[in-house]
Amino acid sequence: MNNKIITTTLVLAVCLMANAQQKQSKIAYVAFSNIDKYVTIDTATVRVWYALNALDIQDENSYIDWQILEIGGHSNKYYSYFVWESDSLRTVDYRTNRSGQYTNKLLPRGRNGKGCWNELQYHVLIATNGKVRTYNRERLPEYEGYYDEPYPDQQWTLTQDTATISGYHCQKATCHYHGRDFEAWFTPDVPLKFGPWKFGGLPGLVIKVYDIDHYYTFECTNVERVRLPMVRSPYSRRHPIKRETVLKFERKINENPGKTLGTKDLDGNNISKTYPYEPLELE
């Protein structure tokens, strides 16, 4: 399998992206995960990179996030590279500076600005044995935990539409999932039934997928053959939590972060300002 870089994008998605970014969170997140404590769960043999809401697929600084799908012998892992990069830098810094302080240069990169929170960045998904487990990192630790879902769980409708994306011959499929309608482009040339986030089950790797409103677009930038340890946090303090509880909290903190976090201004008054927000999962 050759490494291939995306060279084409759908014009409509780019045109709508300016609207989409206004519906994404800009809440600063400062906690980090110490990678020195990570454990190996599998060996990754394929690594697929996906840009989230790229304005320019050739410029990683224009992405909301850059995410990685690792495919192993019995498990898949999906996570944010920008957050992993930040956690790595902050782990090194923590070894010598155990005060736990941070600087902006160590916070995650991304178009929203360093450290701006997006739930997709702070969710780590581990798929194995027909289920996907989501580990979530939140602004309030009482809402951190994990929950399981069937994987894959989309009911796809294959169409006759085809296109060349990232040099791959792709076919279009559609589905309704967690309250949104999605369109996906997959390639039978890469016979892996996986894709970004929770998407999977198509007869080929998902190269691009987006909701029809173009709030969220996942676009492949690279496919690599690798042999690397697949690692994750031991999540020793994580407990089962209902998915509905997580989604409800994430809506609250995105729409009214000041009220949700109990933030006050310099005069001691509660800060309560609402923001537009379009979650990936509506139900």
Side-chain angles (χ1 to χ4, degrees), residues 22-198:
Q22 300 304 317
K23 303 296 180 65
Q24 313 256 328
S25 173
K26 289 193 174 183
I27 302 169
Y29 191 94
V30 297
F32 83 105
S33 182
N34 190 332
I35 68 169
D36 283 342
K37 299 179 180 180
Y38 279 22
V39 297
T40 299
I41 60 172
D42 202 346
T43 298
T45 56
V46 177
R47 186 165 61 177
V48 188
W49 298 67
Y50 291 95
L52 174 63
N53 288 14
L55 294 180
D56 178 357
I57 201 64
Q58 303 296 337
D59 180 8
E60 64 194 59
N61 293 314
S62 78
Y63 307 167
I64 291 289
D65 194 24
W66 204 4
Q67 302 175 338
I68 295 177
L69 168 65
E70 291 182 350
I71 301 170
H74 55 78
S75 299
N76 290 352
K77 177 185 176 184
Y78 193 74
Y79 63 101
S80 164
Y81 171 71
F82 284 165
V83 171
W84 165 262
E85 178 184 59
S86 173
D87 286 341
S88 301
L89 292 172
R90 295 182 69 181
T91 296
V92 172
D93 183 70
Y94 185 71
R95 292 170 190 160
T96 56
N97 175 21
R98 301 190 67 84
S99 66
Q101 298 300 312
Y102 67 93
T103 62
N104 285 341
K105 67 179 181 180
L106 300 181
L107 294 178
R109 294 185 289 147
R111 173 159 50 91
N112 272 350
K114 290 184 179 295
C116 287
W117 183 88
N118 180 296
E119 64 267 25
L120 293 178
Q121 289 175 276
Y122 290 98
H123 286 186
V124 174
L125 281 61
I126 306 292
T128 186
N129 296 327
K131 70 178 181 181
V132 59
R133 173 166 291 183
T134 298
Y135 295 93
N136 62 307
R137 194 191 311 183
E138 307 289 353
R139 283 282 291 174
L140 297 180
E142 58 265 36
Y143 290 99
E144 295 183 327
Y146 62 83
Y147 56 88
D148 296 334
E149 299 173 85
Y151 177 80
D153 197 31
Q154 295 85 36
Q155 301 298 315
W156 294 102
T157 299
L158 273 61
T159 76
Q160 298 302 311
D161 298 333
T162 61
T164 298
I165 302 175
S166 185
Y168 292 103
H169 176 72
C170 295
Q171 183 177 349
K172 183 180 176 182
T174 63
C175 74
H176 183 81
Y177 184 61
H178 283 332
R180 290 196 182 276
D181 293 315
F182 291 93
E183 297 178 347
W185 294 88
F186 69 94
T187 177
D189 296 341
V190 184
L192 298 171
K193 297 184 177 182
F194 309 118
W197 191 49
K198 302 173 185 178

